[in-house]
Amino acid sequence: ALAGLFFSRLETGGDPSRIPSALVGKAAPRIALPPLEGLKGPGGTPLPGIDLVALSGKPTLVNVWASWCGPCRDEHPVLMQLAKDGRFNLVGINYKDAPENARRFLGQYGLPYQAVGVDPKGRAAIDWGVYGVPETFVVARDGTIVHKFVGPLTPEAVNTKLLPLIARLSGN
């Protein structure tokens, strides 16, 4: 039976990145995560942690990442490009990571986030329904999760799905 299930998934072209999220259409978890200690933003000021209530008012991308995650490295240039778009907030949840490794990762690859909250035990990720890293959630201005991307964001996914969704959510 198990072999039949695997064979049917191969035949139907099951896309593992299309894992459904029970949270799409519902309010985003009201989390407040502490900042990544020692992380400095532009101008040398400490980068804040995540408080989604404070970010309401425009769409927000919540990216769950870790320095030990290979696909997160692949995704990072895409996030750096997205950070230049002022129509939405881009925040990161650093998942089960050592602070020094997370700071080193962002120092090496760049800082796309406006805020980084740390989730050392993975409890916030459980509240968000995260299966693994990276995952990115699109949160509307009213705090509703409208889409979930599983796996690294690609230029194709950004151009065909994410940017049209952001345009709709931001009224542009």
Side-chain angles (χ1 to χ4, degrees):
L2 190 55
L5 175 65
F6 289 137
F7 183 72
S8 71
R9 292 287 291 167
L10 286 174
E11 289 297 310
T12 59
D15 182 359
S17 69
R18 298 200 59 197
I19 298 170
S21 174
L23 296 179
V24 171
K26 296 184 177 157
R30 294 293 178 194
I31 60 167
L33 293 174
L36 178 57
E37 193 174 313
L39 184 62
K40 307 278 189 208
T45 60
L47 206 66
I50 295 178
D51 180 2
L52 284 182
V53 174
L55 291 170
S56 62
K58 63 181 177 176
T60 300
L61 297 182
V62 179
N63 178 253
V64 184
W65 65 281
S67 66
W68 47 262
C69 162
C72 295
R73 294 173 199 272
D74 297 338
E75 172 184 65
H76 210 76
V78 175
L79 294 173
M80 292 300 293
Q81 282 300 119
L82 284 172
K84 298 173 185 175
D85 191 326
R87 295 177 293 172
F88 55 87
N89 301 308
L90 176 56
V91 300
I93 296 177
N94 183 236
Y95 176 74
K96 292 186 176 182
D97 210 349
E100 60 276 4
N101 293 341
R103 283 190 304 274
R104 188 177 314 111
F105 178 93
L106 294 173
Q108 181 177 356
Y109 296 105
L111 177 61
Y113 307 112
Q114 295 163 293
V116 174
V118 295
D119 187 16
K121 296 188 189 281
R123 295 197 186 275
I126 290 171
D127 291 345
W128 280 84
V130 171
Y131 291 95
V133 290
E135 289 189 14
T136 303
F137 297 83
V138 181
V139 181
R141 287 185 267 197
D142 67 358
T144 303
I145 297 174
V146 294
H147 195 78
K148 175 182 179 179
F149 291 90
V150 176
L153 287 174
T154 63
E156 178 186 354
V158 166
N159 291 327
T160 62
K161 293 179 185 174
L162 179 62
L163 291 180
L165 181 57
I166 292 296
R168 191 184 83 216
L169 291 173
S170 62
N172 295 340

